[in-house]
């Protein structure tokens, strides 16, 4: 549009056909086909506001098809789940990014996503070790994202990323008549905070420390099971040296420095309340990386 303002328009068409031929069961019970197509338009802009800052925004639509595994039929009749539909969304984003100082970068964005037929996992008593999927009616996602990176001294890098979000079911009544409208979408914490400090000296010595804080989150659609938040930190140090055409890098690291109890994975809507998969305790690892250069 101009030297200061750039506008981008996009249009995407997808035509997808799923077909599975069951060669395991003698009756071919799990065979099936599904055809899905959709058009996804988008528009975005980038405006240079000067002094190393830029304002940007976008409105985009998208659709996500279930995978062949997610299409599994929970009623045991085989084939693809005929009631499962693709997840469709319209996202709105507005942000500002740029440089605060000579060696500092930032990005701040707010977003809102309206989702139809969100794909939600669940388990059933007859197949407790297998996930099936259903569509929620309407969901809303909104949040703020902030990231800052800086190099205050040569070789020293600092990075911070913060996300606050709220994902909710606007309207959702499941196949059993349970009304989850207004509940928080399970599996998504309100707050993420990640910090990273790394240093690399010209001698080849390097060190890095990072920490991730994850807020409490719900493990089920009813919001009756809560997964506690936790902070997990890690450290890694090493030395990079070149010997002829060999680059040698011995290193050692510690994961979960403070031996924090945390949940590494959450099984959403797991049957029998088996939501929690604990993360590993403090562990120490080390090794040597050797690279050979063919350059003359």
């Amino acid at each position: 549009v101009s030297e200061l303002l750039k506008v981008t328009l996009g249009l995407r068409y997808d035509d997808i056909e799923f077909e599975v031929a069951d060669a395991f069961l003698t009756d071919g019970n799990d065979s099936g086909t599904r055809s899905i197509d959709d058009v996804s338009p988008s528009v975005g802009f980038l405006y240079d506001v000067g002094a190393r800052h830029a304002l940007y925004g976008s409105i985009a639509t998208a659709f996500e098809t279930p995978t062949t595994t997610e299409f599994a039929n929970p009623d045991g009749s085989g084939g693809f789940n005929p009631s499962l539909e693709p997840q469709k969304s319209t996202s709105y984003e507005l942000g500002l990014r740029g440089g605060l100082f000579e060696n500092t970068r930032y990005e701040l964005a707010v977003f809102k996503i309206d989702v139809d037929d969100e794909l939600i996992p669940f388990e059933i008593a007859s197949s407790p070790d297998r996930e099936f999927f259903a569509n929620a009616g309407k969901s809303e996602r909104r949040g703020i994202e902030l990231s800052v990176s800086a190099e205050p001294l040569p070789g020293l890098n600092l990075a911070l990323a913060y996300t606050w979000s709220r994902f909710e079911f606007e309207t959702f009544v499941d196949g059993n008549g349970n009304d989850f409208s207004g509940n928080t979408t399970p599996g998504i914490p309100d707050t993420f905070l990640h910090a990273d400090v790394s240093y690399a000296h010209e001698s080849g010595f390097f060190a890095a420390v990072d920490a991730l804080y994850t807020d409490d989150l719900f493990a089920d659609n009813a919001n009756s099971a809560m997964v506690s938040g936790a902070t997990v930190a890690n450290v890694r140090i090493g030395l990079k040296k070149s010997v002829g055409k060999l680059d040698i890098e011995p290193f050692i690291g510690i994961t979960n420095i403070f031996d924090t109890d945390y949940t590494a994975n959450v099984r959403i809507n797991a049957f029998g309340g088996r939501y929690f998969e604990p993360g590993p305790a403090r562990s120490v690892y080390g090794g040597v990386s050797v690279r050979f250069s063919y350059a003359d």
Side-chain angles (χ1 to χ4, degrees):
V1 177
S2 69
E3 291 185 359
L4 298 180
L5 177 64
K6 296 179 175 62
V7 177
T8 303
L9 301 175
L11 185 66
R12 172 172 173 165
Y13 173 71
D14 291 274
D15 187 357
I16 301 171
E17 182 171 343
F18 289 90
E19 181 176 356
V20 172
D22 182 5
F24 179 71
L25 299 176
T26 56
D27 59 3
N29 189 49
D30 279 342
S31 300
T33 60
R34 284 289 299 269
S35 296
I36 301 170
D37 66 279
D38 197 48
V39 176
S40 304
S42 63
V43 58
F45 77 90
L46 178 67
Y47 181 70
D48 186 357
V49 296
R52 304 195 306 273
H53 303 285
L55 181 69
Y56 66 91
S58 67
I59 301 175
T61 60
F63 89 118
E64 178 183 341
T65 63
T67 66
T68 51
T69 300
E70 293 170 347
F71 263 130
N73 201 340
D75 67 7
S77 62
F80 287 162
N81 185 350
S83 63
L84 191 65
E85 298 296 333
Q87 173 180 302
K88 298 183 179 182
S89 63
T90 302
S91 61
Y92 310 86
E93 183 177 16
L94 182 65
L96 184 68
R97 63 190 179 208
L100 294 175
F101 308 103
E102 183 177 353
N103 297 319
T104 302
R105 301 287 299 174
Y106 76 92
E107 184 166 351
L108 174 66
V110 294
F111 67 87
K112 180 177 182 292
I113 307 174
D114 297 322
V115 184
D116 291 328
D117 295 325
E118 181 169 359
L119 295 167
I120 302 295
F122 67 95
E123 295 180 0
I124 58 178
S126 59
S127 300
D129 295 320
R130 184 175 186 180
E131 280 189 333
F132 297 95
F133 285 77
N135 294 116
K138 290 183 179 296
S139 304
E140 182 186 69
R141 306 172 179 179
R142 60 188 186 277
I144 301 171
E145 296 177 332
L146 171 66
S147 65
V148 180
S149 62
E151 187 180 4
L153 298 171
L156 178 62
N157 290 279
L158 311 177
L160 182 70
Y162 170 79
T163 300
W164 176 88
S165 62
R166 181 62 56 85
F167 289 20
E168 295 178 330
F169 297 128
E170 288 189 305
T171 58
F172 179 24
V173 179
D174 71 5
N176 296 318
N178 299 306
D179 190 350
F180 302 122
S181 302
N183 286 5
T184 299
T185 305
I188 307 295
D190 283 354
T191 303
F192 278 108
L193 180 62
H194 181 260
D196 183 278
V197 179
S198 62
Y199 177 71
H201 191 265
E202 59 184 12
S203 65
F205 170 79
F206 65 88
V209 179
D210 72 275
L212 174 65
Y213 167 74
T214 305
D215 202 0
D216 299 345
L217 57 89
F218 291 110
D220 62 343
N221 295 337
N223 292 173
S224 61
M226 174 72 77
V227 180
S228 299
T231 300
V232 179
N234 313 287
V235 63
R236 176 185 171 106
I237 61 174
L239 184 67
K240 295 181 179 180
K241 283 295 183 181
S242 296
V243 180
K245 293 186 177 182
L246 292 179
D247 293 327
I248 303 175
E249 182 181 316
F251 59 87
I252 188 171
I254 304 174
T255 61
N256 193 3
I257 303 170
F258 303 109
D259 202 21
T260 303
D261 293 330
Y262 70 102
T263 302
N265 183 53
V266 180
R267 297 174 61 89
I268 305 301
N269 296 315
F271 175 75
R274 303 175 305 162
Y275 308 110
F276 314 102
E277 294 185 354
R282 181 192 300 117
S283 60
V284 179
Y285 66 93
V288 178
S289 173
V290 179
R291 300 180 180 87
F292 181 78
S293 175
Y294 290 94
D296 293 333

